[in-house]
Amino acid sequence: SLMAGCLFNQGMFQEALQRYQEALEIRLLIDDDDDEAKVGALLEKIGTAQVKVGEHEGAIVALKEFLIIKERGGIADDPLEEYEIGTIYHLMGKSNFALEKDQEALRCYNAAIKLFKASGDEYTPPETVGAAMLDKADVYNKADELSTAMLVYKEILEEEYFPPDFWEHGQTLQRLGLSFVAEGLDEEALGVVEEAVEIFEQIIGEISDQNLPLDKHKDIAAALESFFELSMKTLGSIGPEAGEMCFRLGDAYVQMENHEKALHWIKLGIKKQEENLGPSDPTIATGYFNKGNCLLDLGKTSDAISGLEDAL
């Protein structure tokens, strides 16, 4: 179990899951008065690891068994326990959502939010409540209940669950922007999406792109693409930063291994940089270099050579 904890903290979730399962097998062989509580603790850890590796059916089973054991032992009216059980419901919500059991996911998220709020700020950081609410809004989005999702995003922003420099604050703004677009409110959407882009750009400026997980690259691409399209639609242009924005989109799609889409944005970035900064700007050479690399990844060697020669 200790080995599993170390592996989990290092992000080695599959290996951690194996060790937790081995620990449970051993625990079930031990005759101990406190055995059931210790079994429950291992089931909670197994369920958490299964969520991480995408074994959602197993995660739900393990986490439900943990809750049954917890209830059998008696749940104290204690803020810390409310927080811990809220975390379990949040995890079960994620697994149910991944399995497309949307109503069950919604039930779990609502239970989690209720428990988090009941435990108070001393035990539950505001961003923990905000994360559960973001996930809840995803359920409404999936069901095309956009007006309900919009209310959740607005509550997250009004209650300031996330500090303004948090990635999740940017996510909330970006998703609210998409809700505005669906309602035909393009100018309102442009304002919140632009704010989301600024947050994302500030955060990725402080860390290497290579350290960004895939879901963050997806957030970047969604925000930049929305901002680009809304700017062109409502303002007719973006201005000198248009080319850099296209290059950033290209980078995000390369990291997502969507090279066709990356190539589209890199080419558009080169065009925008030439229009705004002239044909000699150094960033254009970088654009041609990235274009050549993207073509190489697509197996288009002769086109890649041409692009790299342009870069030189």
Side-chain angles (χ1 to χ4, degrees):
S1 182
L2 288 171
M3 286 173 65
C6 294
L7 290 163
F8 189 93
N9 290 336
Q10 292 172 27
M12 300 170 72
F13 303 121
Q14 192 66 59
E15 294 88 342
L17 176 58
Q18 182 183 340
R19 294 300 184 191
Y20 279 135
Q21 288 169 332
E22 290 169 357
L24 180 60
E25 288 174 12
I26 296 167
R27 173 58 57 194
L28 292 172
L29 297 172
I30 299 171
D31 184 16
D32 187 331
D33 290 341
D34 296 326
D35 187 51
E36 191 171 59
K38 291 174 181 175
V39 168
L42 281 168
L43 285 167
E44 183 264 332
K45 290 172 181 175
I46 286 169
T48 303
Q50 285 175 315
V51 173
K52 291 288 188 182
V53 300
E55 295 182 12
H56 296 294
E57 293 277 10
I60 291 169
V61 170
L63 294 171
K64 280 184 175 178
E65 287 182 10
F66 164 73
L67 286 175
I68 290 167
I69 291 170
K70 193 79 173 168
E71 287 170 4
R72 202 153 46 224
I75 298 174
D77 185 15
D78 177 82
L80 181 57
E81 281 211 342
E82 287 173 324
Y83 165 71
E84 289 173 345
I85 295 172
T87 301
I88 300 304
Y89 275 110
H90 191 184
L91 287 170
M92 289 199 299
K94 286 179 178 291
S95 287
N96 278 299
F97 184 69
L99 293 168
E100 300 187 348
K101 298 176 180 178
D102 295 342
Q103 288 305 310
E104 187 61 20
L106 201 56
R107 187 189 72 80
C108 290
Y109 289 143
N110 283 330
I113 291 163
K114 183 179 178 180
L115 286 160
F116 286 152
K117 288 182 176 180
S119 72
D121 291 350
E122 184 181 353
Y123 292 94
T124 304
E127 52 266 27
T128 301
V129 183
M133 293 189 71
L134 262 179
D135 288 337
K136 174 183 173 179
D138 281 344
V139 181
Y140 290 123
N141 266 335
K142 185 181 172 187
D144 287 330
E145 296 181 32
L146 300 176
S147 58
T148 308
M150 189 185 298
L151 291 174
V152 178
Y153 296 136
K154 285 182 175 179
E155 182 182 344
I156 293 169
L157 295 170
E158 287 166 4
E159 296 295 328
E160 298 181 345
Y161 285 119
F162 302 113
D165 58 348
F166 266 45
W167 191 273
E168 291 81 2
H169 185 74
Q171 280 182 314
T172 307
L173 290 165
Q174 163 63 9
R175 294 177 189 181
L176 178 60
L178 293 177
S179 298
F180 279 141
V181 169
E183 297 287 330
L185 304 170
D186 290 344
E187 290 193 7
E188 289 89 339
L190 180 60
V192 295
V193 171
E194 183 175 14
E195 193 177 340
V197 168
E198 289 173 359
I199 291 168
F200 291 154
E201 291 284 7
Q202 177 185 337
I203 293 171
I204 61 178
E206 297 169 359
I207 56 177
S208 166
D209 281 358
Q210 281 67 39
N211 292 331
L212 287 177
L214 183 61
D215 60 337
K216 283 188 164 49
H217 283 291
K218 288 179 179 176
D219 286 339
I220 295 166
L224 290 173
E225 203 158 334
S226 298
F227 181 56
F228 191 94
E229 290 170 359
L230 284 165
S231 296
M232 297 300 290
K233 185 176 179 181
T234 59
L235 305 176
S237 65
I238 301 177
E241 70 272 20
E244 285 293 338
M245 184 168 293
C246 291
F247 287 155
R248 174 61 71 187
L249 262 167
D251 287 343
Y253 281 117
V254 165
Q255 296 299 327
M256 291 155 63
E257 298 187 358
N258 188 341
H259 294 99
E260 291 285 359
K261 208 157 188 181
L263 189 60
H264 164 78
W265 287 105
I266 291 167
K267 285 179 177 178
L268 188 58
I270 292 168
K271 180 183 175 185
K272 291 293 180 185
Q273 292 297 77
E274 287 176 340
E275 287 173 358
N276 289 314
L277 302 172
S280 311
D281 190 81
T283 59
I284 296 169
T286 304
Y288 279 121
F289 176 76
N290 291 337
K291 175 185 170 184
N293 273 333
C294 200
L295 287 163
L296 277 175
D297 288 328
L298 287 167
K300 300 179 179 180
T301 310
S302 57
D303 291 340
I305 290 170
S306 173
L308 294 168
E309 284 176 342
D310 288 337
L312 284 173

